[in-house]
Amino acid sequence: MSKMQEIAKLMRELEDQLVVCMRCGLCQAACPVFEQTGREADVARGKLALLDGLMQEMFSDPRGVYERLNRCLLCGSCAANCPSGVDVLAIFMKARAILTGYMGLSATKKILLRGMLVHPKTFDRLAQWGAKFQQVFTRPVNDLLGTSCARFVAPLLSERHFVPLAKTPFHSQTPALNTDAGESGLKVAFFVGCLIDKIFPRVAEAAIQVLSHHGVGIYLPEAQGCCGIPAASSGDTDTFKRLVEYNLDLFEAERFDYLVTACATCTSTIREIWPVLMGNEPKDAVADVKRISEKTLDIHQLLVSKVGLKNLSRSATATPLSVTYHDPCHLKKALGVATEPRAVLEASPGYHLKEMHQPDACCGMGGSFNLQYYEISSEIGKQKRDNIKASGADVVATGCPACMLQISDVLSRSKDRLAVKHPIEIYAEGLNR
Ligand code: SF4
Ligand code: SF4
């Protein structure tokens, strides 16, 4: 299908989906961006109204439409609150694809997405160079959170406190695995994801340890690619499709029961976005995507509903640590996964769960939203930080590495000393006691 045919088809699909919106405005109360800015254009209703006239607007002010569409965390809070069941995220993704198809990609995004992300080995090499030289530009600020900040004035880093690139990414520690199903009778393919591989390899190590402990066979193919979400949210369907096809080839090479990830964003991308943006591909590709996306599970879901958590021996620690849990939007709002990560934490010896106020309120990360609108993103993050602190917990856990980054940033900037962990890490600690 040519680019113009693809745009026209997406446009027709968009029109069909837009009529479902009743303009009731109930999404307003749920939108974290609207809460900060109070602008109707930032809420789903405002964006959908804008897209209703997309055909005309595309010729008069495509850049303006694109920018207004980009002021969105893609958190799905609006969709979760919508009484009419408007598939807001699918609409936003298609609209971004239409606009980028019409205007083309910016030079920076071309370099990042088409020069780097789409070539997994090049991306790995560049990240390894970055890890080697990052100390020249950054300095550590919080040893417990493992955060750093810029040494000099750097517009891209601004005031951020970020978790730096790991010295040894996960793919260098464990390039590949292929083990048989053990006592669980299950074999899974493990999709690592870029943030876990390059920033939080300890989460992947914990996941492998936990899966092996439960007798789950693991297929971990070498040179995994990105799930494609940075390309999809930039409207770059060409890069997105290349990454999906690359991953399909890699994972189709082996038989397994489930594809498992420890990253909320990767899970929801494979389950929800792959079928939406690959829907107009040839029949075989659509069938391949459907097959793999339907058997993709978040790691907590796999452990709780397919494997069964074990009663790990309780530690003799006199005072267990309290842990509060933040629901990543891509787990709870996108996939309805909320009880399973809590069950994993409850089963972890040495910890007890202490809920925070509004655990499912968005943390404000939103991927590229944080890069483009850092101030709004931080204001949303500060509300999350205040709720975490008010819970009085010793540790905050969340099932998404992007949320881990955002929560580490807001805690570190206010000099708080609270560890940020993935529930799987906490559960794995129990195996080592
Ligand atoms: S997206 Fe849903 S909640 Fe928002 S205005 Fe439309 S129908 Fe109402
Ligand atoms: S996805 Fe989130 S940020 Fe975007 S319009 Fe919906 S509620 Fe607002």
Side-chain angles (χ1 to χ4, degrees):
M1 197 186 290
S2 77
K3 198 80 208 160
M4 281 320 288
Q5 283 173 318
E6 189 187 341
I7 292 177
K9 186 138 198 305
L10 285 172
M11 198 79 103
R12 281 196 297 276
E13 289 171 9
L14 202 62
E15 278 166 13
D16 290 345
Q17 287 177 304
L18 281 168
V19 292
V20 184
C21 175
M22 309 294 287
R23 306 283 194 265
C24 65
L26 284 173
C27 46
Q28 221 177 48
C31 178
V33 178
F34 178 78
E35 197 186 341
Q36 292 302 318
T37 65
R39 287 174 41 167
E40 171 69 10
D42 286 336
V43 78
R45 180 175 61 178
K47 292 186 171 77
L48 297 178
L50 176 76
L51 294 177
D52 222 1
L54 185 61
M55 192 61 106
Q56 291 77 36
E57 293 284 340
M58 245 175 60
F59 294 109
S60 58
D61 183 20
R63 180 98 16 224
V65 180
Y66 188 74
E67 277 166 16
R68 281 156 73 186
L69 210 55
N70 265 356
R71 286 170 67 91
C72 173
L73 292 152
L74 297 175
C75 65
S77 305
C78 45
N81 246 40
C82 174
S84 309
V86 178
D87 196 349
V88 184
L89 294 187
I91 292 175
F92 288 172
M93 287 295 182
K94 284 179 187 172
R96 288 180 184 204
I98 292 168
L99 285 158
T100 301
Y102 178 70
M103 295 187 306
L105 270 180
S106 70
T108 317
K109 284 194 173 170
K110 248 186 213 160
I111 294 170
L112 291 176
L113 299 172
R114 296 185 182 173
M116 185 181 77
L117 198 75
V118 81
H119 306 292
K121 287 188 177 156
T122 308
F123 185 23
D124 285 350
R125 266 198 301 276
L126 289 172
Q128 253 156 330
W129 282 354
K132 226 182 235 174
F133 297 112
Q134 62 192 339
Q135 291 101 319
V136 177
F137 308 100
T138 63
R139 63 180 170 84
V141 275
N142 186 317
D143 56 340
L144 186 64
L145 287 162
T147 46
S148 294
C149 70
R151 251 183 222 282
F152 322 105
V153 178
L156 185 66
L157 298 176
S158 73
E159 294 150 25
R160 279 185 180 79
H161 286 194
F162 51 89
V163 183
L165 291 162
K167 277 195 189 112
T168 313
F170 179 70
H171 72 265
S172 297
Q173 295 170 34
T174 313
L177 274 177
N178 199 350
T179 60
D180 293 334
E183 61 175 292
S184 74
L186 295 175
K187 178 160 183 165
V188 302
F190 186 60
F191 187 91
V192 183
C194 309
L195 291 183
I196 289 183
D197 181 52
K198 293 168 179 53
I199 298 181
F200 298 108
R202 60 177 209 250
V203 174
E205 286 165 41
I208 298 296
Q209 195 189 352
V210 168
L211 292 171
S212 307
H213 176 83
H214 283 275
V216 178
I218 302 167
Y219 173 53
L220 176 84
E222 216 171 331
Q224 295 191 20
C226 166
C227 68
I229 190 65
S233 57
S234 300
D236 181 5
T237 46
D238 292 346
T239 301
F240 176 80
K241 285 175 192 167
R242 281 177 65 184
L243 282 167
V244 173
E245 281 157 9
Y246 177 89
N247 284 312
L248 282 175
D249 284 349
L250 213 58
F251 285 97
E252 291 274 305
E254 181 65 44
R255 283 175 171 273
F256 52 85
D257 300 295
Y258 300 102
L259 181 98
V260 170
T261 93
C263 171
T265 303
C266 294
T267 313
S268 75
T269 301
I270 299 170
R271 281 199 69 102
E272 312 265 290
I273 310 295
W274 281 21
V276 167
L277 291 184
M278 295 294 285
N280 294 325
E281 293 303 294
K283 261 189 190 164
D284 287 356
V286 172
D288 289 347
V289 166
K290 188 171 183 289
R291 195 167 48 249
I292 209 154
S293 87
E294 281 176 355
K295 61 180 183 182
T296 298
L297 284 182
D298 164 65
I299 192 158
H300 311 99
Q301 257 182 316
L302 176 94
L303 287 174
V304 173
S305 57
K306 306 292 178 198
V307 176
L309 290 169
K310 280 187 185 165
N311 274 334
L312 303 178
S313 61
R314 292 275 138 192
S315 136
T317 316
T319 45
L321 294 171
S322 54
V323 56
T324 193
Y325 178 73
H326 160 68
D327 287 288
C329 296
H330 290 152
L331 269 194
K332 185 172 177 191
K333 287 160 196 146
L335 304 171
V337 177
T339 55
E340 296 89 337
R342 288 175 170 82
V344 168
L345 290 171
E346 299 273 23
S348 304
Y351 286 89
H352 70 91
L353 185 62
K354 211 172 184 183
E355 291 288 356
M356 69 174 94
H357 177 56
Q358 297 185 324
D360 60 354
C362 177
C363 69
M365 180 63 176
S368 59
F369 181 88
N370 174 277
L371 294 176
Q372 274 182 287
Y373 304 105
Y374 185 57
E375 271 180 38
I376 305 176
S377 169
S378 291
E379 285 309 312
I380 301 168
K382 282 180 196 165
Q383 292 176 351
K384 177 59 60 181
R385 176 202 63 197
D386 293 345
N387 287 339
I388 291 169
K389 284 167 72 175
S391 75
D394 303 301
V395 177
V396 52
T398 185
C400 179
C403 301
M404 288 170 76
L405 281 177
Q406 170 78 340
I407 293 171
S408 300
D409 180 20
V410 287
L411 287 172
S412 179
R413 281 200 290 142
S414 54
K415 298 190 170 55
D416 283 298
R417 294 186 58 77
L418 224 87
V420 178
K421 296 186 179 186
H422 192 291
I424 280 305
E425 286 182 86
I426 291 177
Y427 187 73
E429 284 173 23
L431 306 179
N432 302 323
R433 282 173 195 271

